Structure formats: C-alpha cells, structure tokens
Amino acid sequence: MSVLDDIVAGVREDLAERESRTPLPRLRELASLRPEPRDPMPAFRAPGLSVIAEVKRSSPSKGHLAEIADPAALATSYAQGGAAAISVLTEQRRFNGSLADLRAVRAAVDTPLLRKDFVVTEYQLVEAREAGADLVLLIVAALPGDELDRLHAIAVELGLTTLVEVHDEAETERAVALGAELVGVNARNLKTLQVDPDTFGRLAPGLPEQVVKVAESGITGTADAARHAAEGADVVLVGEALVKGGDPATAVKEMRSA
C-alpha cells in the first residue's frame, strides 16, 4: 500500500464517522444556508505571482511543523501579507488539521479559502461548502476512473472552485481532458513523499495557456518562487516555509515580489 492509499483509507474511516452524525441530505441543507463562495480566479489571473498561504501543522513527510494554537490569527497575517487565497489542512491523522480550523479561519478573513484534504466523496465537497470553503482540492492520483469527472461536476454545482492536482504526465492529460481551469503541479510524489523540484518545469508546458498554473511543494523561499514564476507559474502554494518563519505577513509579501 502506498502512502497515498494509506492516507485515503484513514480519510474514509473518519468520514464514515462524521457522516453517521450528519447525513448528506441534512448537510446539504446546512450548506445551502451559507453565503455564495468567493471566486479566487480574478486574483490568480492578475499580473504578478499570487500566493496561496497554508495553515499547516504537520505533514506525513516532515511530521510536526509548527504549533498553531490560533489558525485564525495566522490566516489574518497571511491576508495582511496579500495572500490571494488561504489553504487550510483539514485531514486529521497525518496533518493534524480539522474542519474546525477551516471554520475559525472563515470567521476571521474574507480571503478565498481552500479546503486542503484528500477528497474522495461528494460528502466532503458539501462539508467544504458548509464550513465556508471557496475552493476544494481534487487530487487526480486519488480519483480513478470517472470519479474525478463526477466530483468535479458536483463541486461546480456547489459553486466551488476546483484546484486539480497532478504529479506526472498522465495525470496532467486527465486534468486537461477534464477542462480544469486551475491546475496544481505537486512536486511531491504522494506515493513515496519524495520531492522532485523539476516537476513543475516539466509538466507546465503540457497545460493550455489559459489554465492558471499553481506550483506546489518544495518552495522554501523567494528563490524557489521566482524559479517557478519563470517557468510559468501564476500561483505558488506555500505551507512549511510560512508556518516555520517568524513573520508570515512579510514572508507572503516577499513571495509575491518574486
């Protein structure tokens, strides 16, 4: 079993528990009461490099990263630094995240929010909408067959923007066939957790010009951000480098200047 398979198995176990407490029809009712999701695409398409700043306590590859007692305060700093969107990890076993973190951040900032998780069911999309997310992550490697198309269609119906994540050429072809407008190239192989810093530069040319391209993983500072911008990135998604630094607002500003 790969690392990705193991994570998804845990996600499904935790999901079953939540669904037993709040069935999907009831969750849909609650989600319908939320304001319309924010559209992050104009900011992502604006001139310059945009930053998705991440609220991230832990990771499978690095373990504990940072104490984040107040995710809302961290998100507020990201917003002050000019983050175009804020990513909130909600997977609990490997990333020590939660939907409570997402709700706390939503109450604190008006910036578009990405629910960062391993989405494999409709229920999680409705959860994201109910918790105040504007974007959701769809990982091509975790969604075989028609599941990617099905969940993408449901996300669109809910008004959510999808960040479709790819790791290799075959997954990039699937994202293009899907018609994805926002594609993230993850330099971290989710089956082995190894990072290849050349992944974005290799895969980005395979994406249509109109697609907003996001570089993910392995971005340790402005030099990495500048490199990916030169390779065609419109957006960088940064977590570890921001949560481990002492001044997240300034760090986001510096990334944007790259």
Side-chain angles (χ1 to χ4, degrees), residues 97-128:
S98 69
L99 284 165
D101 285 348
L102 181 59
R103 292 189 176 96
V105 171
R106 176 75 294 156
V109 301
D110 290 328
T111 308
L113 300 186
L114 166 68
R115 181 188 183 180
K116 185 86 172 291
D117 210 319
F118 296 79
V119 173
V120 289
T121 70
E122 174 183 354
Y123 191 89
Q124 292 164 287
L125 295 174
V126 182
E127 271 186 328

Side-chain angles (χ1 to χ4, degrees), residues 56 59 61-62 165 167 186-196 199 216-218 240:
K56 183 177 185 179
S59 76
S61 60
K62 298 288 185 66
E165 181 175 290
H167 304 82
N186 194 343
R188 188 179 303 281
N189 184 321
L190 293 182
K191 297 178 180 179
T192 66
L193 299 184
Q194 297 300 308
V195 172
D196 177 359
T199 303
E216 305 176 31
S217 293
E240 181 181 348

